[in-house]
Amino acid sequence: MDWVRANIAVPVLVFLGVLFVSLWLRRIAYNALERWLKERKSEVGKIIISVTRGPFLHWLLILGAYIAIQVSVLTPRWKSDGGKILASIFIAHLGWILIRLGRDLVQLYLNKAKVPQRAITVTTSIIQVAIIVIGILILLELWRLPTTPILIAAIAVIVIAILALRDIFPSLVSGLQLTQQKQIKAGDCIRLESGEEGRVEEITWRNTQIKTLDGSIIIIPNTRLMQTTIVNYGKQPKVAKEPFQFSTRLHLKELTGLNARNLSQLVSRLNEVPDAVVYYHTHNFVEEYQFLTPEPTNDFALWVQDALGYDILAERLASIDTFEFPTIGALRQMIVGVIRDSLAQITHEREAPPGNEFHFIKSISIVLPTPYVAHNLREFVGILKRISIGSLYFHIFEAKLRLQRGTNDFSLWLEDCLEEKELAEQITRLDPYNYTMENLREIIIKLCEKRL
Amino acid sequence: MNPKINIKDYESVVGKNYIEELRMLANRLSGKTILNINSTFVGGGVAEILSRLVPLLNQLGVDVRWQVIPGEAQFFKVTKKFHNALHGKVESISDDDFSVFLETTAKNASQIDFSGDILFIHDPQPAALITKKSDIGKDWVWRCHIDISQPDNRVWNFLKQFVVNYDAGIFSSPNFAQELPIPQFFAPPSIDPLSEKNKELPPEALETVLTKYGLDADKPLILQVSRFDRLKDPLGVIRAFQLVRRNFACQLVLAGGTATDDPESEEVLKEVKERAGDNSDIHILDIPPGSDVDINALQRAATVIMQKSLREGFALTITEALWKAKPVVASAVGGIPLQVKDKLTGLLCHSIEGAAYALRQILANPDYGHWLGRNGKEHVRQHFLITREIRDYMLIFLTLGRREDIIYL
C-alpha cells in the first residue's frame, strides 16, 4: 500500500494538481490576453493565440509529468533520463509551434508588403531551418553530445545567407517599416528632399512607386525613402472637373522687312501691319527683360525717345497700360491715336539717324503641350514651381490678349473646374506687366498655397 | 568643340526646363534629316558655329549632317569679293566673276549628295545651289550670317534671284532684312558658355594671365578686345581712358591681333602704340589667334569692358563680356543696341566724352557696375547662348510652310 501511495498515488496527484492549477492559470491568462488584443485589434496577437492555445495544454501535460517524476521515488538516474526525455519532447514540440508561428507571421507581414510568394516561401524556409538547427543544438547539448560540427555548418550557412541577402534585407526591413508605421500609403501626395514630387502609386517590399507631376513613374528603393525627408501632404485635395494641361510657348521673330524712319511712317505702317506685329512690339520688352522688374513700356516708346528724341510722346506711349486692353486691335488704336495727337502738333518731323530705323517684327508663337497635367490644386502648385517661363508666359499673357480669353488660363481653370472663385479673382487682378516672370510665379504659388 | 561637352551640361547654365523643351522639339523633328551646307569645315565663324551646333543637335536626337562645297581658288576669290560687296565695301566685280560663281555652283549641284529633308544653306557661297530645288524639291532654308544692311546692289540683286526661291531666310539682325517674298526670321548669333573662351575659370588662372601680361591685379582694369582696326576706334578708347585717368587710378588693356588679310592693321597697331606713349597704365597686347583662355581670363579680370567701335557687326565680344557679368561701355552701333539696353544691361555711348563719362560712372559706383553686369549676364542667358540658336533653328524647321501667327505643334 505504501509502495502504491509512494510510486503511483503521489505522482498522479501531483500531476493532476499541477495540471489543474496550470489549466486554470492558462484560462485566466488567455482570457486577459484576448481582451487586451481585442482592444488593440492586433492581428499578431490573434495568430499567437490561435497557434499556441492547443499546444499550451501539451506543454502543461509535459510540465505536470516532469514534476510528478521528480516527486516520485524513482532512482536519480531514472528521474534524470525521464526529465531529459520530457525536455526533448517539449523542445521538439516548441520548435514545431515556433515554425508554425513563424510561417503565419511571415505571411502576414510579407503579404502586406506585397512581397512575391517565392520570397515568402524562401523566408519561411529560412526560419524553419533556423529553428530546427537551434532545436537540434539544444537537444544535443541536453544529451551532452558534440555540437561543434553543426555549429560550424550553421555559421557557414548564416554567412552565406547574409552575403546573398545583404541588399534584399535592408529593403525588406524598410518596406516593412513603411507599411507598418503607415507614414506614407498609396494615394498620398508626397515631396522628397530631392525635389521629386507626386502621388504614391504602390509600396512594395523593395521600392515605392511615385507618379510624378509630369506623369512619369519613378521607382524609389525603400531604403532610400527611409533615409530621406518626406513631406507627406496626405490624400489629394478636391479633384478638378477637367485637368489643367500645361502648354509651353516658344517664339520666333519674323522680320517683315518693313521699317519706319519718322513718326508718319511709323503710324502709317502701324495701321497696316498684322496684330502679331503690334503684339511683338508691346510685349517684347516684357519678354526680353523678364528678369528685370519691367517698366510697362513698349518698343514704340523706346524708339520714339532713343531715335527721335520725342520725350513727351515717349512718356505718353510708355504709360499706355497694356493690361487694360481686351484685344490687340484696341491697343493698336490707342497707340496710333497717341502718335497722331503728337503729330498734329509737330511742324517739322525728325528723322531717325541711319541705322536707327524702327524695324517691324512679327511674333510667331509656337505652342506645345508639356507632360505636366494638374488634377487638383496641389498638383497645380507643384507644376507651377517647375514649368518654364515660356509656359507661364503663354497661360498669363498670350491667353488674355492674344487668344482673347478675357483673363489668364489659370483663373479660368480655377473658377470653372475647381470652383475656386476667390483665388481665380485674386490671380485675375494681378497686373502681370508690373512683375518679373519669376515674381509672378512666386505670387501665384503663394496665393494657391494659402488655399491649401 | 570639346568632345566631352554634352547637351546635359547646359542644364546648369540655362535650366532643366530649357533643355527639356529642346528635347520636345527634337522629338518632333525625329525622322527628318537636316543637311547643312557651307564653304568650309574649319576657320571662320560659320564653321565654328556648325562645329558646335551639329554635335549638340545630334545629341538631342536630330539627324543633322554637314557638307561643304568644293571649289577652285578662283571661286573662293569671287565669293570673297561678294562677301565684301554685301558688307557694303566697294569691289570691282566683273561679269566673269558671276560666270565663275555660276559655273562652280552648277558643278557642285551635280556632285553634292543632297540627301536630307531640309537643306540648310549657310551664307552666299553655296546660296545658288537652290537651283537644284526644281529637280529634287525638299525644304530649303538660307542662313545669312553676314551684315547685308547696306549691300552693293549689283551683287545683292544677283544673289536675290536665288534667295527668293528659298522657303525661309534667317538673318542676324532686324536691319539685315530685305524686302523679300519669303519668310525672314531674326536669329541673332550666339556664344557657347562652355567653350574655352567663355567657361568659368578658377582665380589662379586669372592671376596667371595677369602676371603673364604684366598687369596690376589691384588696379581697376578697363579692357577692349578687338583686332587693331580703325573701325574699332582704339585711339578713341585711349583718349577716353586718358580723360578718366585724371580722376581714377586705373589701367587700360587693348587686347587683339593683327589680321593677315588687313594690311592696315599693322599700321593701326603702330599708331596705337605711339598714342599710348610711355604711359605704363596702357597695355597694348598683340594676342595670337587661338588664345581663348587668355582672352577669357582678361575679360573676367576686367572691371569694365569697352567696345567703342565706329561700325560693328553683331559684336560677339560684347556678348562674351556680358556673359561674364561685366559692366560694358559700348557704342550704339551694329548689333550692340540689341545686347546693351542703355542703363539696364550696360551703358551706351556716342562719343569719346560719352564713353569717358560712362566709365567714370561705373568706376565710381562699383555696385551699379555689378548690377549692370548681372542684368547683362541674364540677358545673354535668355537670348544669346547657343541653346537659343539651336531652339530657333528647330522651331524654323518645324514650322516651315506654316503661316499662322500662333502655331500649335
Side-chain angles (χ1 to χ4, degrees), chain A residues 5 17 45 49 57 79 86 149 176 265 286 341-342 361:
Chain A
R5 193 173 61 232
I49 288 174
L57 178 65
K79 279 184 185 176
L86 286 172
L176 287 174
Q265 285 178 4
V286 176
D341 279 355
S342 294
I361 297 173

Side-chain angles (χ1 to χ4, degrees), chain A residues 3 19 83 181 216 262 270 315 360 400:
Chain A
W3 185 91
L19 191 63
Q181 294 171 5
S216 53
N262 54 43
L270 248 177
E315 195 175 285
F360 288 87
K400 180 174 182 271

Side-chain angles (χ1 to χ4, degrees), chain B residues 19 26 28 34 36 49 60 84 103 129 160 188 197 219 223 225 239 246 255 258 292 301 359 392 395 407:
Chain B
I19 304 299
R28 282 170 163 76
I34 292 124
N36 288 277
I49 291 165
L60 285 166
N84 291 339
E103 279 161 23
L129 289 175
K160 191 177 167 184
K197 213 189 261 187
K219 205 180 261 187
L223 171 73
V225 178
R239 181 66 194 134
R246 290 178 191 163
T258 49
D292 289 350
L359 286 172
D392 281 355
L395 287 173
I407 298 171

Side-chain angles (χ1 to χ4, degrees), chain B residues 136-166:
Chain B
I136 61 169
K138 308 191 180 199
D139 290 323
W140 292 68
V141 180
W142 187 54
R143 182 26 161 148
C144 178
H145 295 270
I146 62 172
D147 176 353
I148 54 163
S149 55
Q150 293 167 307
D152 174 288
N153 280 336
R154 192 164 163 235
V155 174
W156 170 241
N157 286 332
F158 171 74
L159 198 63
K160 191 177 167 184
Q161 62 178 315
F162 304 110
V163 172
V164 293
N165 292 315
Y166 278 85

